Amino acid sequence: MPISSLGKADGMVYGTFSSFVHTFSHYFQGKSAKLRQTLGGSSPELDPAEQPRIMNVDDFRKRGKEMVDYIADYMENIQKRRVVPAIEPGYLRHSLPTEAPKKAESYETVMQDFENFIMPGVTHWQHPRFHAYFPAGNSFPSILADMLSDALGCVGFSWAACPAMTELEMIMLDWFGRMIGLPEQFLPFTENGKGGGVIQGSASECNFVSLLAARFEVMKELRQRFPFVEEGLLMSKLIAYCSKEAHSSVEKACMIGMVKLRILETDSKFRLRGDTLRNAITEDRNMGLIPFFVSTTLGTTSCCSFDSLSEIGPICTDQELWLHVDAAYAGSAFICPEFRYLLSGIEHAMSFNTNPNKWLLVNFDCSTMWVKDRYKLTQALVVDPLYLQHSWTDKAIDYRHWGIPLSRRFRSLKLWFVIRMYGIDGLQNYIREHVRLAKKFEAQIKADDRFELIGDVIMGLVCFRLKGADDINQKLLTKLNSSGRIHMVPASLNERFVIRFCVCAENANDRDIVVAWEIIRQAAEHLLHENAAEPLVEEDELEEEEDVGKEKEVEEVAEQNEQPARRKTSEGAQPSSSEDLIAEKNKQTLAYKRSFFVRMVSDPKCYNPKIVRHLNLGSHRKMSEDLRRDMTLRHAIERGNTLNSRTRSSRLADSRNMDISSSADNDSTEEMTVALEQTGIQTPI
């Protein structure tokens, strides 16, 4: 790939790949030489026929450069691939051997299998037409930093385990905290301060450890007030709060933490308001429960709405509740001063998190978290065996006390690379460009009176739908995803099916928005007017299918042609040759595989855990009904050999009536359970 075809910044980054590979090879070569010297010479020579073909330093230097070229080519030509794969569950199991290889295999063989078997099952998150979920941070500087991190292979559970890892992480949390405008109390180097930051693996971990810290604090106080009450009884009184648009990880955290969760309603803009929280707290205290934790969201997953932190914060301070602020997606945008008004009330929070691996060009995993009092966090998680202690414990931070896992990757390295190589100005321009493009797509929706917007467009996410019933919107999304040219996912807002369009690609531009809107518009036109010509014709390279077992299929088709039965194609015409039948069969198989994946990604349960429970119960109920019906009919048929026809018919009718009655009773019971789960207190498992 000619470097001249890249942008100036990308060309500079691409040009450094080879030097990185060269550095790695020298690093490993030095380690190998030192090891041989320590052992007093090289190991005895093996028989060349028995010697495994393991990659050495020279091989790594060569293959590393080839891998750089492969990655660069992939990123440069990614738009030629389908956004989502055309596969079904279990596709890979039938393609790979059932057992691991006995002998070493070559690099060429592994890469060939990667392209043939792995790539066909990849969803291309960096594709310019990928508009699902949220961005998956990715950039060349971040990839380079991950290469270094993997090469070093450090595990930074304590300062002594890798001092540079711990100290760079502290500095990055201070840099980034200042970039997004966090109060001084949260920053690690504030004089006489108790605050600090840590990089977790995901926002789910941030939510969980915040809840554990809050639970530890309230339980410590309750044990002092009620020393003779069983701890399990005290914990059963605890209750946490979030809005119904909060991420499902809050609910999971409460399940694991064995505390109750109350899911609160939002206003017309899908925000949790202060009055709603205050009323819920009052009701629960009157019932003898103990409120202790509130999780708010700045930039919800479903529609990027923002809870009213300025109203909720003072209530949490007055009620002495731990307030956690989850800004996984939108938090990165606070590096732009024009968005910091959304942080109003953050001074009342005890913890805050955002994910640079979503919207700050940093590869997963990298979720930054700050706390106002680091001692309250570490007290809840500290475990200090002798083999992990060191002589600098009193003067250094050990990040193993700040999260669930002991082992930690060198995550701060890629954050350091990205911030330095883009600069604050470059990152601000990247955020602002995504917001501008989202506004451009919003304008397209507003200009077409067949569509409607749902929620405000503040960041890079636009929620929209066709005016009309949910069914037609689900058909539209299924049609779009099945085309292979664009990928989006749905959400449920106020019991309505909406489609989410998120600007995700790093180098997204106006043409990408125009093309995406044209695909959506044409699909809607065809859906609303069935006589319109089908617009979504894929490119030739996207229609290519593997020719597996073609000779066998030709033989099967030849045998079928000899039979007198007439087989018709989907257009109603009889095929004139074996090749026509094979093409039709491949088309039907491909359509089936695509429809399965499309149904999966277009399902309305994506961002509403209450709907997940409802659908799971519905599926379980239907399966139970079918099983009962089958068993009833089977028993009736077995008994029918000794009964006359009238008696047999009567018993079958009774069985069906009994089954229908039983199903109706089960329906009403389960629907009532679901309703209670949606509106009441979520009890722990």
Side-chain angles (χ1 to χ4, degrees):
M1 180 189 68
I3 296 179
S4 59
S5 65
L6 297 173
K8 181 178 179 181
D10 289 342
M12 178 185 66
V13 172
Y14 175 73
T16 63
F17 268 111
S18 297
S19 63
F20 266 85
V21 174
H22 187 71
T23 301
F24 289 162
S25 63
H26 279 292
Y27 173 73
F28 286 116
Q29 192 172 26
K31 289 178 65 178
S32 300
K34 187 174 182 181
L35 178 61
R36 288 195 298 269
Q37 184 179 4
T38 302
L39 295 176
S42 60
S43 58
E45 293 293 332
L46 297 175
D47 184 350
E50 298 294 331
Q51 187 171 0
R53 294 170 294 179
I54 300 175
M55 186 176 290
N56 58 26
V57 172
D58 293 333
D59 292 333
F60 176 74
R61 181 178 286 112
K62 175 184 177 182
R63 301 307 184 187
K65 293 176 182 177
E66 292 177 3
M67 182 61 74
V68 168
D69 288 336
Y70 182 89
I71 294 172
D73 290 340
Y74 168 76
M75 298 300 291
E76 187 180 33
N77 301 301
I78 192 173
Q79 72 280 357
K80 295 181 180 180
R81 299 177 182 264
R82 285 181 57 92
V83 188
V84 294
I87 49 87
E88 58 185 349
Y91 90 97
L92 190 58
R93 183 178 180 183
H94 303 297
S95 302
L96 299 184
T98 57
E99 296 181 354
K102 181 71 173 178
K103 302 292 185 179
E105 296 183 276
S106 67
Y107 173 82
E108 293 88 348
T109 301
V110 175
M111 282 302 297
Q112 186 64 43
D113 286 349
F114 172 81
E115 188 64 44
N116 291 340
F117 303 128
I118 305 302
M119 270 300 188
V122 171
T123 298
H124 300 285
W125 284 62
Q126 309 307 320
H127 197 288
R129 236 67 71 209
F130 181 94
H131 299 290
Y133 312 110
F134 281 130
N138 191 19
S139 64
F140 290 134
S142 180
I143 295 172
L144 291 174
D146 252 346
M147 291 171 65
L148 276 178
S149 175
D150 292 340
L152 295 175
C154 301
V155 181
F157 48 78
S158 67
W159 182 89
C162 186
M165 188 185 300
T166 297
E167 300 211 3
L168 183 62
E169 186 162 336
M170 294 173 63
I171 294 171
M172 287 304 98
L173 268 298
D174 190 73
W175 279 18
F176 192 31
R178 295 182 186 279
M179 287 168 59
I180 62 179
L182 285 181
E184 292 283 337
Q185 303 98 299
F186 288 95
L187 303 180
F189 297 133
T190 300
E191 188 175 358
N192 299 323
K194 298 180 180 179
V198 60
I199 300 180
Q200 308 281 13
S202 66
S204 299
E205 290 183 45
C206 298
N207 285 324
F208 185 41
V209 298
S210 297
L211 182 131
L212 292 181
R215 191 189 69 176
F216 182 86
E217 282 297 304
V218 71
M219 287 299 297
K220 181 171 63 175
E221 179 184 351
L222 291 175
R223 282 192 294 265
Q224 293 175 353
R225 291 174 56 189
F226 308 103
F228 303 109
V229 178
E230 184 180 355
E231 186 168 319
L233 180 59
L234 294 175
M235 191 177 297
S236 69
K237 300 293 184 180
L238 301 182
I239 185 167
Y241 303 90
C242 72
S243 85
K244 69 177 184 179
E245 299 302 333
H247 193 265
S248 60
S249 61
V250 180
E251 185 174 5
K252 180 178 286 189
C254 292
M255 289 169 55
I256 302 173
M258 299 296 290
V259 296
K260 296 179 177 64
L261 173 66
R262 183 162 180 177
I263 300 174
L264 303 176
E265 291 293 326
T266 57
D267 65 7
S268 59
K269 294 186 176 182
F270 311 105
R271 305 172 298 177
L272 178 61
R273 304 299 297 271
D275 289 341
T276 304
L277 176 63
R278 182 185 291 107
N279 293 337
I281 292 173
T282 301
E283 292 174 3
D284 292 336
R285 289 196 188 279
N286 292 337
M287 293 174 60
L289 298 175
I290 304 173
F292 79 105
F293 180 81
V294 177
S295 179
T296 57
T297 309
L298 298 182
T300 59
T301 306
S302 57
C303 63
C304 199
S305 58
F306 292 78
D307 291 339
S308 184
L309 194 58
S310 59
E311 298 176 2
I312 296 170
I315 295 174
C316 292
T317 299
D318 294 341
Q319 299 281 346
E320 297 183 349
L321 308 182
W322 184 295
L323 174 60
H324 177 68
V325 179
D326 180 4
Y329 165 65
S332 296
F334 299 151
I335 65 173
C336 302
E338 63 267 29
F339 295 120
R340 289 183 192 161
Y341 72 94
L342 297 164
L343 273 173
S344 177
I346 189 62
E347 64 275 8
H348 296 279
M350 289 296 295
S351 52
F352 173 90
N353 75 271
T354 186
N355 287 14
N357 62 243
K358 280 189 172 67
W359 207 13
L360 208 69
L361 299 172
V362 176
N363 292 72
F364 185 85
D365 55 349
C366 183
S367 185
T368 51
M369 172 184 173
W370 293 263
V371 288
K372 190 178 290 184
D373 189 339
R374 60 180 178 269
Y375 301 107
K376 291 183 177 179
L377 175 63
T378 56
Q379 285 176 4
L381 301 170
V382 63
V383 176
D384 201 22
L386 181 62
Y387 57 82
L388 295 178
Q389 298 176 13
H390 56 88
S391 58
W392 297 102
T393 301
D394 296 337
K395 296 184 179 180
I397 280 182
D398 287 346
Y399 275 123
R400 59 192 165 94
H401 302 315
W402 292 59
I404 302 301
L406 173 66
S407 301
R408 311 181 73 254
R409 299 179 66 247
F410 204 160
R411 300 186 185 105
S412 59
L413 198 60
K414 52 191 173 185
L415 187 59
W416 187 49
F417 266 54
V418 168
I419 292 176
R420 292 190 63 186
M421 296 186 72
Y422 281 89
I424 296 176
D425 290 343
L427 294 173
Q428 288 175 339
N429 292 338
Y430 161 73
I431 295 288
R432 287 167 178 155
E433 179 66 4
H434 273 207
V435 175
R436 184 189 70 82
L437 294 174
K439 291 289 186 180
K440 181 181 181 70
F441 184 79
E442 176 192 25
Q444 301 279 16
I445 296 293
K446 287 182 176 179
D448 193 324
D449 58 8
R450 296 172 298 180
F451 291 89
E452 61 178 328
L453 287 166
I454 307 296
D456 297 332
V457 179
I458 301 176
M459 299 295 180
L461 177 67
V462 182
C463 292
F464 69 98
R465 68 196 305 272
L466 277 171
K467 294 177 181 178
D470 285 349
D471 289 346
I472 193 170
N473 283 278
Q474 189 165 0
K475 289 179 181 178
L476 173 62
L477 182 59
T478 301
K479 189 177 188 65
L480 290 167
N481 285 335
S482 65
S483 74
R485 301 175 64 193
I486 192 170
H487 184 37
M488 296 178 290
V489 292
S492 177
L493 295 171
N494 285 345
E495 311 303 327
R496 292 197 298 172
F497 184 97
V498 302
I499 302 173
R500 300 170 72 263
F501 179 95
C502 188
V503 181
C504 295
E506 175 187 355
N507 298 311
N509 53 44
D510 290 82
R511 181 181 179 278
D512 293 327
I513 301 303
V514 171
V515 171
W517 168 244
E518 188 64 17
I519 293 173
I520 295 169
R521 186 193 64 78
Q522 289 181 358
E525 183 75 21
H526 184 266
L527 189 65
L528 296 173
H529 306 285
E530 291 295 335
N531 294 328
E534 175 61 59
L536 299 177
V537 179
E538 300 183 25
E539 300 176 8
D540 292 340
E541 62 268 27
L542 300 183
E543 289 288 356
E544 293 179 357
E545 284 295 303
E546 296 181 19
D547 189 14
V548 179
K550 185 174 182 179
E551 295 180 358
K552 183 177 179 181
E553 290 187 27
V554 172
E555 294 176 359
E556 293 177 353
V557 172
E559 292 177 359
Q560 293 171 358
N561 283 339
E562 294 176 359
Q563 300 176 0
R566 298 172 60 87
R567 179 170 299 183
K568 295 184 178 181
T569 63
S570 57
E571 289 78 13
Q574 183 179 2
S576 58
S577 65
S578 301
E579 287 76 9
D580 292 336
L581 282 176
I582 293 173
E584 180 66 18
K585 182 177 180 181
N586 287 339
K587 182 178 179 181
Q588 293 174 355
T589 302
L590 177 60
Y592 171 77
K593 292 179 178 179
R594 290 178 179 174
S595 67
F596 182 93
F597 189 87
V598 168
R599 290 196 306 272
M600 178 177 69
V601 299
S602 304
D603 200 293
K605 65 178 179 290
C606 288
Y607 293 126
N608 194 325
K610 296 180 286 298
I611 293 181
V612 175
R613 287 196 297 271
H614 175 76
L615 292 182
N616 286 344
L617 285 172
S619 299
H620 175 73
R621 180 167 60 250
K622 185 178 185 303
M623 183 173 63
S624 299
E625 292 174 3
D626 293 342
L627 181 61
R628 287 196 300 269
R629 184 177 298 107
D630 292 344
M631 292 180 64
T632 302
L633 291 173
R634 186 182 67 184
H635 293 326
I637 292 172
E638 290 175 352
R639 292 194 302 268
N641 293 331
T642 59
L643 299 174
N644 59 39
S645 177
R646 179 177 298 177
T647 305
R648 185 161 60 249
S649 300
S650 176
R651 291 194 177 185
L652 283 172
D654 292 342
S655 298
R656 290 194 183 95
N657 292 335
M658 184 181 301
D659 181 59
I660 294 172
S661 176
S662 175
S663 298
D665 293 341
N666 289 334
D667 283 351
S668 63
T669 302
E670 291 180 351
E671 289 296 342
M672 181 181 66
T673 303
V674 172
L676 288 175
E677 287 186 346
Q678 289 178 352
T679 59
I681 296 172
Q682 305 300 302
T683 56
I685 300 300

